[in-house]
């Protein structure tokens, strides 16, 4: 996690009305030089200031096209403020021109899943797994796939080892591409394994959809177990040899909170209802396989939103994804008589994403406008030096191979690139 300096007290003391007024004023001052992106999992207080609301990759792609459109009209976008988490800002930086600065309002807004796969652990795992397989007489290729919810460094590792990124909506296509040989067509009789980073649940659900027996032909590599002295990340040489998919031991701390029991409770409470009155359970594939298996439907954030928007009046839905999105959709759908609730009553919120709040948003906008307050100068002052705070910049040596991994995904899946 990156270190975020504390905000001057005045920002934390402001009431909602004042924050809204000041943020609106800064947006007006910066005009078309500024784009604010809001992820679906953000709070309503934050997303009301966003120019665009969406999932991670779509927002970055949208930002890139807005930058190009405004350039064609003669206006240069200078700043993108990404109200999301760190890996999303990295992706936006990689997909937009160098002169655009991408800003994350709070540097401590990371993603616990992305943080579970470090570059060093991935390099070690790659060597350890290859060495074990060689020793067991296995010959073939391992193709790495990383979910876009990963650091730029992991995307770069994957890009430079013949692999690709995937999103939750195109993981099936990327998986099939890799099983067919990826960048080099699979030779007759050639054995291929996939190393799927960093979300074991999306990897397992995707492998299962592809037709792989996940009990027999997947195994989990856990770098923490390697650190604790287990040589193969907790897997055995036999499991690695038999695995068609090696799953990284990462998970989303939000989606892991949905449990099979939550599905069972709904089914049990509605067992006497006619089919037409029963709740449809709709979950994200970052949920564990047992939950996905017990659900009626599973899919990406965009899939979830579209299904709810298309739902029949009177229908009932229990949704297994982040609480802010579910609450927003419940509100929107209530007007059409569609009943939407979260699958579990526990606090399924992305706490790191929630670190982005109005005070932090105002603080970075104040920096861009050269206005604001400080602990030394608590009254609002004008005419300071404009400075871009919290810029996220991906190193050029990382950017190239990471873009290769993103590019392979887009090339082999077309437009269907909705992320988490
Ligand atoms: S919801 Fe999960 S995967 Fe998405 S940003 Fe939060 S921790 Fe990461």
């Amino acid at each position: 996690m990156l270190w975020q300096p504390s905000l001057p007290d005045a920002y934390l003391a402001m009431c909602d009305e004042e924050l809204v007024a000041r943020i609106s004023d800064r947006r007006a001052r910066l005009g078309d030089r500024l784009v604010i992106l809001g992820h679906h999992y953000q709070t309503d207080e934050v997303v009301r200031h966003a120019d665009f609301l969406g999932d991670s990759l779509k927002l970055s792609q949208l930002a890139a096209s807005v930058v190009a459109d405004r350039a064609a009209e003669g206006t240069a976008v200078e700043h993108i403020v990404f109200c999301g988490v760190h890996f999303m800002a990295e992706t936006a930086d990689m997909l937009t021109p160098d002169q655009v600065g991408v800003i994350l309002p709070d540097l401590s807004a990371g993603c616990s899943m992305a943080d579970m796969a470090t570059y060093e652990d991935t390099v070690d795992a790659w060597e350890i797994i290859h060495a074990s397989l060689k020793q067991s007489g296995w010959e073939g290729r391992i193709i790495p796939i990383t979910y876009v919810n990963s650091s730029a460094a992991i995307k770069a590792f994957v890009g430079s080892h013949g692999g690709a990124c995937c999103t939750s909506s195109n993981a099936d296509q990327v998986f099939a591409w890799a099983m067919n040989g990826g960048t080099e067509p699979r030779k007759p009789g050639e054995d291929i394994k996939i190393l799927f980073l960093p979300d074991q649940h999306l990897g397992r659900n995707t492998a299962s959809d592809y037709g792989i027996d996940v009990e027999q032909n997947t195994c989990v590599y856990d770098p923490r177990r390697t650190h604790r002295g287990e040589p193969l990340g907790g897997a055995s040489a036999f499991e690695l040899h038999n695995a068609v998919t090696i799953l990284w031991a990462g998970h989303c701390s939000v989606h892991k909170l949905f449990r099979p029991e939550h599905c069972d409770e709904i089914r049990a409470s509605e067992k006497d209802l006619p089919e037409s009155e029963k709740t449809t359970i709709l979950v994200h594939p970052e949920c564990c396989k047992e939950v996905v298996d017990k659900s009626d439907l599973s899919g990406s954030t965009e899939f979830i939103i579209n299904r709810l928007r298309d739902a029949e009046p009177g229908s009932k839905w229990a949704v297994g994804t982040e609480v802010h999105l579910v609450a927003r959709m419940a509100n929107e759908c209530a007007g059409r008589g569609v009943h939407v609730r979260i699958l579990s009553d526990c606090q399924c919120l992305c706490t790191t994403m929630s670190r982005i709040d109005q005070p932090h948003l105002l603080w970075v906008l104040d920096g861009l406008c050269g206005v604001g307050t400080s602990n030394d100068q608590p009254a609002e002052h004008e005419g300071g030096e404009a400075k871009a705070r919290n810029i996220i910049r991906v190193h050029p040596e990382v950017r190239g191979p990471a873009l290769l991994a993103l590019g392979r995904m887009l090339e082999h899946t077309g437009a269907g690139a909705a992320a988490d």
Side-chain angles (χ1 to χ4, degrees), residues 41 85 87-88 110-114 147 149 252-255 286 322 350 352-353 420:
Y41 298 170
V85 294
F87 77 81
M88 300 176 187
C111 162
S112 52
M113 178 202 285
Y147 191 20
N149 298 19
C252 168
S253 44
V254 176
H255 290 92
E286 285 172 27
E322 210 273 346
C350 181
T352 47
M353 184 105 50
D420 85 338

Side-chain angles (χ1 to χ4, degrees), residues 127-312:
E127 285 169 7
I128 288 168
I129 292 167
H130 273 94
S132 168
L133 290 172
K134 191 173 173 199
Q135 209 172 21
S136 71
W138 183 79
E139 287 179 3
R141 263 189 302 147
I142 305 180
I143 298 179
I145 296 176
T146 186
Y147 191 20
V148 287
N149 298 19
S150 55
S151 68
I154 296 300
K155 292 183 178 84
F157 177 89
V158 166
S160 55
H161 288 83
C165 292
C166 74
T167 70
S168 52
S169 68
N170 64 27
D172 290 350
Q173 291 165 275
V174 175
F175 197 94
W177 166 81
M179 290 303 292
N180 287 327
T183 53
E184 296 166 32
R186 187 175 187 160
K187 298 183 195 85
E190 186 184 21
D191 210 350
I192 284 182
K193 295 182 190 290
I194 289 174
L195 172 63
F196 198 101
L197 298 131
D199 184 9
Q200 62 170 299
H201 300 302
L202 180 64
R204 191 176 288 109
N205 287 321
T206 307
S208 174
D209 288 346
Y210 187 79
I212 290 170
D213 178 345
V214 295
E215 297 296 325
Q216 300 295 324
N217 300 122
T218 67
C219 70
V220 175
Y221 180 93
D222 186 345
R224 289 158 299 189
R225 294 180 72 169
T226 304
H227 289 302
R228 289 202 295 266
E230 294 181 58
L232 305 175
S236 66
F238 178 77
E239 285 171 330
L240 284 175
H241 189 93
N242 275 358
V244 179
T245 309
I246 301 163
L247 304 164
W248 195 262
H251 60 264
C252 168
S253 44
V254 176
H255 290 92
K256 81 157 192 196
L257 296 173
F258 298 104
R259 306 293 315 149
E261 305 85 82
H262 299 135
C263 303
D264 294 340
E265 280 162 23
I266 292 174
R267 303 291 192 219
S269 68
E270 295 184 340
K271 67 178 182 336
D272 297 327
L273 290 180
E275 283 305 312
S276 60
E277 290 178 26
K278 287 186 175 168
T279 297
T280 305
I281 300 177
L282 170 61
V283 301
H284 194 282
E286 285 172 27
C287 294
C288 67
K289 184 170 180 296
E290 293 75 11
V291 169
V292 170
D293 287 349
K294 286 186 180 242
S295 70
D296 297 294
L297 295 164
S298 93
S300 66
T301 301
E302 192 161 287
F303 175 84
I304 290 172
I305 292 171
N306 290 340
R307 291 315 289 242
L308 295 176
R309 288 195 172 142
D310 291 345
E312 291 291 321

Side-chain angles (χ1 to χ4, degrees), residues 21 31 36 38 52 90 163 192 292 311 316 341 360 382 399:
I36 300 182
F52 301 102
E90 284 188 327
I192 284 182
V292 170
K316 295 186 290 183
R341 52 158 285 199
H360 286 86
E382 295 270 348
R399 191 181 178 123

